[in-house]
Amino acid sequence: KGQKLAHKAKGVLAMKKVIVISPHPDDETIGCGGTLLKHISNGDQVSWVIVTDMKELPNINKKKLDKRNEEIIKVSKSYGFHKTFELGFPATLLDTLPKRDLISSLADVINEIKPEILYLPNENDVHTDHEQVFIAASAFTKSFRFPHIKDIYVYHTLSETDFNLDPKKTSFKPNYFVDITEHFDRKLSIMKNYESELGNHPFPRSVEAIKSHATLMGSISNTNYAEGFVIIKQIR
């Protein structure tokens, strides 16, 4: 009986609370979908934060909005996320809004979930929404304000991370790798829910590109398929 109780307690302690913050739906799957699936298979509690929506984009009609909402619901259910938060900021316009508004909305989620692990987009991605989300999320690196956050990782987003031409911006150099071999097929399956975002090779958001990138990360880390991250913070 004592052994059973000890095993149960150990299991509870092992569970981690994880939040992935994606500027747009699909960033989470492209950047770290396999890692999120690995967390979930290990019994971790994973929540998804979608920062923007498409309501204010030009040429967006009700049909396209409904399609995107259907995709979000399918993806959330496919992962089995604990919670999905849609903050509703206008896509492509984050750099025109007061940073305090974004920080405040993200802080509400962080304070509700109290995660130990955060996954963020890359500050140097060509899309300004990615940059602004990273900058806003930097507020949560303060250990004296958010002591529960132990790990912060930055993920790579095909179609954004490799297209910044500013020579002053540092390239994405992963120093942490996750073997996603067992979860890669599932990642691709979930990505296919984003019918409005997927394209044909050589489009960066294509099945071929996603597979090639996972293969490259795998070759660096001696696995079949992997996802690479930049470590922002680790507290042990």
Side-chain angles (χ1 to χ4, degrees):
K1 182 177 179 181
Q3 289 178 337
K4 290 181 179 178
L5 287 173
H7 177 73
K8 183 177 180 181
K10 183 178 179 181
V12 170
L13 289 173
M15 191 273 285
K16 301 290 186 182
K17 292 182 180 180
V18 180
I19 286 181
V20 56
I21 302 178
S22 54
H24 319 100
D26 79 358
D27 293 328
E28 78 298 326
T29 300
I30 294 172
C32 54
T35 300
L36 299 178
L37 288 167
K38 194 164 192 171
H39 274 298
I40 292 167
S41 71
N42 289 338
D44 293 338
Q45 182 191 94
V46 181
S47 295
W48 179 24
V49 180
I50 307 167
V51 176
T52 68
D53 63 35
M54 304 190 305
K55 291 189 186 76
E56 296 186 34
L57 289 178
N59 302 318
I60 293 298
N61 54 39
K62 185 178 185 301
K63 184 178 179 180
K64 289 181 180 179
L65 286 174
D66 289 345
K67 177 66 174 174
R68 173 51 63 89
N69 289 332
E70 289 173 6
E71 291 172 351
I72 290 171
I73 291 170
K74 285 180 181 178
V75 168
S76 184
K77 288 182 177 179
S78 295
Y79 279 107
F81 287 135
H82 171 64
K83 282 192 175 182
T84 297
F85 299 86
E86 297 184 58
L87 303 187
F89 288 92
T92 75
L93 296 176
L94 289 184
D95 60 337
T96 70
L97 304 175
K99 283 187 177 63
R100 64 177 178 272
D101 293 346
L102 179 54
I103 293 172
S104 177
S105 291
L106 289 172
D108 288 342
V109 176
I110 297 296
N111 288 326
E112 176 181 341
I113 300 297
K114 291 182 169 51
E116 288 117 315
I117 302 172
L118 288 182
Y119 290 96
L120 308 178
N122 181 33
E123 179 184 12
N124 294 324
D125 285 359
V126 70
H127 202 307
T128 56
D129 284 352
H130 289 227
E131 176 188 34
Q132 295 304 310
V133 169
F134 177 89
I135 291 171
S138 296
F140 311 123
T141 62
K142 297 179 179 179
S143 301
F144 59 91
R145 294 193 187 281
F146 304 93
H148 47 82
I149 297 177
K150 306 299 183 183
D151 298 332
I152 302 177
Y153 305 107
V154 166
Y155 57 81
H156 179 285
T157 308
L158 287 166
S159 79
E160 304 296 348
T161 303
D162 301 309
F163 288 88
N164 196 324
L165 301 181
D166 186 344
K168 297 188 295 295
K169 300 288 188 179
T170 57
S171 60
F172 187 86
K173 297 180 179 179
N175 53 11
Y176 173 67
F177 299 85
V178 177
D179 182 356
I180 62 165
T181 303
E182 293 183 8
H183 305 284
F184 182 69
D185 288 343
R186 183 64 178 157
K187 168 176 171 160
L188 279 186
S189 176
I190 293 174
M191 187 62 202
K192 289 175 182 176
N193 286 309
Y194 289 115
E195 296 176 6
S196 61
E197 296 297 329
L198 273 177
N200 296 321
H201 185 70
F203 185 62
R205 290 194 302 274
S206 65
V207 170
E208 291 85 352
I210 293 170
K211 186 172 183 178
S212 295
H213 189 258
T215 301
L216 175 61
M217 293 297 101
S219 70
I220 295 172
S221 56
N222 195 34
T223 62
N224 289 331
Y225 298 112
E227 289 169 341
F229 303 87
V230 173
I231 299 172
I232 297 298
K233 188 172 198 175
Q234 280 188 336
I235 299 177
R236 294 292 182 271

